[in-house]
Amino acid sequence: MKILVVGSGGREHAIVWKIAQSKKAEKIYCAPGNAGISELAECVDIKAMDFKALADFAEEKKIDLTVVGPDDPLVAGIVDVFEARGLRVFGPRKNAAILEGSKVFSKGLMKKYGIPTAAYEVFDDPEAAIKYLENADYPIVLKADGLALGKGVLICKDRKEAVDGVKELMTDKAFGSAGDKIVVEEFLTGKEASVLSFVDGKTIKLMASAMDYKRAKDNDEGLNTGGMGNVSPNPFYTKEVDEFCKKHIYQATVDAMAAEGREFKGVIFFGFILTEKGPKVLEFNARFGDPETQVVLPRMENDIVDVFEACIDGKLDEIELKFKEDAAVCVILASGGYPEKYEKGKEIKGTENFKGKEGCYCFHAGTKFADGKLVTNGGRVMGITALGKTTEEAREKAYKATELITFSNKYMRHDIAAANR
Ligand code: AMP
Ligand code: GLY
């Protein structure tokens, strides 16, 4: 099969790496890809949002399957464009990707179908939101309805911060029309868990659990980022939590989408907070997580192309997903200054050290070749993943492997998967 992957991050590198092991994959393309991906796939210079050019390319190259990584193209309807042209594609249609694309939609769905989540109110008028904040409990959480590059969630410790937040989202439109409506939500406390799943419209099969480290600095300090590291399995995702989510959340979400006439095919990413009163859904994503994918796929034993096809064909019930017992830890190497200001174009050395290194992977995120040299090209530069018999072993291996890579202003957290985290 000829397979096209859309996207350019560490998630897409992990997906391409996994596809490359499939007995079905003859040729892999990636648009636009990055330097690391270009070792496994032919990278083509088409942006993820240029649907017409991507579909033209898929037609011209007779691509048998396209896999879409990022949220933006899914929410904007790339799958509908491909399907309308008779092209086979893995991911939810626009009417199902709304599960991630609109927080107002996803909260409404959970309320209607009794899926546990934080209590909330929706506002489309800043004055009404500000009035509501007069008698609210603090801290409180404000969420832009639409996609906001992962930055549309504000945790406000008091009324002043919340009023400023409403102005930022709704009046100043910091994230454009994503802030036309906002969700004002109860602040929950507890450990977080990420669970990825494959869905074929009716059947859901879970991948391994993971834990994301979202803050930029050690001890969960600093700004929110796209994710500074990950561990799988998530140490707090116990058997009891799993049973609760199986009973009240996973199938319920898939069935709710189907009942709404929004059959979901693709990956649903469940973001949970494990509160004292049980797990609650913080968010849904309609795609693989990043860096979650970088710890989950190295543990997966199935041929991923079989799974993609089963999802598209509505035959996921015929697949048994298998995961290694090993733990996986991913440490993100970032450009100093991320997620705020950082420099690009720093030469990266040491990637050759990963060749043939069993159970150790270097997934590229923001990298490119310039004048024949590998250089940094983003805030998150690479994810270094290692497998181990235990989390501790995986963690030690991953941190040791981070030393193999050098570039100026290399930054990472040092407490990913640490025992006390
Ligand atoms: P999201 O962009 O929806 O993943 O939210 C980003 C982060 O904000 C989450 O990972 C949580 O750490 C935090 N967050 C979101 N909603 C809540 C909430 N209701 N209570 C506490 N923390 C939250
Ligand atoms: N790591 C969180 C996300 O992919 O949204």
Side-chain angles (χ1 to χ4, degrees):
M1 286 172 70
K2 291 185 191 166
I3 301 172
L4 168 65
V5 176
V6 176
S8 62
R11 160 182 54 210
E12 286 76 19
H13 192 178
I15 293 171
V16 165
W17 166 81
K18 188 70 185 153
I19 291 173
Q21 293 160 43
S22 166
K23 57 185 184 314
K24 290 182 171 167
E26 288 160 31
K27 169 89 187 166
I28 311 172
Y29 295 92
C30 189
N34 63 34
I37 292 174
S38 72
E39 290 183 5
L40 299 169
E42 186 175 328
C43 292
V44 281
D45 193 14
I46 308 175
K47 296 214 163 43
M49 291 303 282
D50 193 346
F51 302 168
K52 182 176 179 311
L54 288 168
D56 286 347
F57 177 83
E59 231 166 58
E60 183 198 313
K61 295 287 182 192
K62 301 196 165 48
I63 300 291
D64 300 293
L65 171 67
T66 298
V67 179
V68 184
D71 45 0
D72 290 339
L74 290 168
V75 169
I78 189 173
V79 169
D80 306 60
V81 170
F82 270 60
E83 285 184 349
R85 290 176 63 169
L87 295 162
R88 210 161 145 77
V89 55
F90 174 80
R93 293 184 188 137
K94 186 175 180 176
N95 78 348
I98 192 174
L99 190 61
E100 171 164 9
S102 168
K103 302 247 192 246
V104 173
F105 171 82
S106 65
K107 295 294 290 189
L109 187 87
M110 288 189 274
K111 190 182 243 177
K112 183 169 171 186
Y113 292 91
I115 297 167
T117 188
Y120 74 103
E121 297 288 336
V122 174
F123 296 95
D124 58 8
D125 168 26
E127 292 304 317
I130 288 169
K131 187 146 187 25
Y132 173 82
L133 291 171
E134 280 173 17
N135 295 314
D137 291 333
Y138 290 91
I140 204 161
V141 186
L142 309 185
K143 298 185 171 182
D145 175 40
L147 295 183
L149 302 167
K151 294 180 188 150
V153 175
L154 306 179
I155 296 177
C156 307
K157 68 174 182 308
D158 54 30
R159 186 163 149 224
K160 180 180 178 312
E161 269 190 26
V163 170
D164 289 348
V166 169
K167 288 186 179 143
E168 183 186 341
L169 296 176
M170 301 189 86
T171 317
D172 303 343
K173 300 266 178 229
F175 305 105
S177 60
D180 287 352
K181 290 185 191 165
I182 63 165
V183 169
V184 177
E185 189 173 275
E186 166 198 15
F187 176 79
L188 299 174
T189 48
K191 296 290 181 189
E192 291 186 38
S194 306
V195 176
L196 305 184
S197 66
F198 288 106
V199 182
D200 73 352
K202 34 185 202 303
T203 300
I204 178 165
K205 295 267 163 120
L206 302 173
M207 294 182 239
S209 67
M211 183 154 82
D212 196 11
Y213 290 72
K214 286 204 165 80
R215 300 296 197 102
K217 297 187 180 161
D218 286 10
N219 295 318
D220 285 337
E221 286 170 12
L223 294 170
N224 246 328
T225 70
M228 293 299 293
N230 239 281
V231 55
S232 176
N234 181 319
F236 303 100
Y237 189 83
T238 58
K239 202 161 168 287
E240 291 71 40
V241 170
D242 186 52
E243 276 165 11
F244 181 93
C245 295
K246 282 184 173 141
K247 194 160 168 206
H248 300 288
I249 297 174
Y250 298 130
Q251 191 66 47
T253 303
V254 175
D255 292 347
M257 289 299 280
E260 294 292 308
R262 298 173 182 275
E263 182 183 67
F264 193 105
K265 291 187 175 196
V267 168
I268 300 183
F269 167 138
F270 296 84
F272 295 119
I273 198 149
L274 309 175
T275 75
E276 276 182 357
K277 293 187 193 146
K280 300 208 176 182
V281 177
L282 272 187
E283 59 161 352
F284 297 115
N285 294 316
R287 51 164 176 87
F288 284 99
D290 197 1
E292 282 83 350
T293 306
Q294 300 180 52
V295 285
V296 169
L297 292 190
R299 296 186 59 208
M300 184 171 156
E301 292 182 333
N302 302 69
D303 182 325
I304 199 167
V305 177
D306 288 342
V307 185
F308 289 146
E309 294 211 286
C311 289
I312 296 172
D313 296 334
K315 293 182 175 167
L316 193 56
D317 58 333
E318 295 173 11
I319 299 261
E320 192 196 340
L321 286 187
K322 288 198 181 133
F323 285 82
K324 291 189 174 78
E325 287 292 325
D326 293 8
V329 170
C330 172
V331 180
I332 297 293
L333 303 182
S335 304
Y338 173 77
E340 294 184 286
K341 264 177 74 140
Y342 54 85
E343 290 176 16
K344 296 183 186 176
K346 307 287 181 197
E347 187 174 359
I348 304 167
K349 293 208 170 124
T351 50
E352 68 284 356
N353 295 322
F354 283 82
K355 291 240 152 60
K357 214 168 156 44
E358 189 68 21
C360 250
Y361 314 96
C362 168
F363 294 120
H364 293 223
T367 68
K368 69 171 184 181
F369 286 114
D371 302 325
K373 285 184 185 157
L374 179 66
V375 299
T376 64
N377 192 38
R380 290 193 292 181
V381 176
M382 321 180 138
I384 305 299
T385 297
L387 292 172
K389 289 266 164 283
T390 60
T391 298
E392 190 48 36
E393 190 185 307
R395 170 182 149 75
E396 256 173 45
K397 259 170 81 178
Y399 272 106
K400 204 157 175 33
T402 63
E403 292 166 15
L404 300 173
I405 300 285
T406 54
F407 57 88
S408 92
N409 273 335
K410 179 175 100 174
Y411 174 78
M412 68 184 128
R413 273 181 67 159
H414 288 90
D415 60 350
I416 306 300
N420 59 344
R421 301 298 314 140

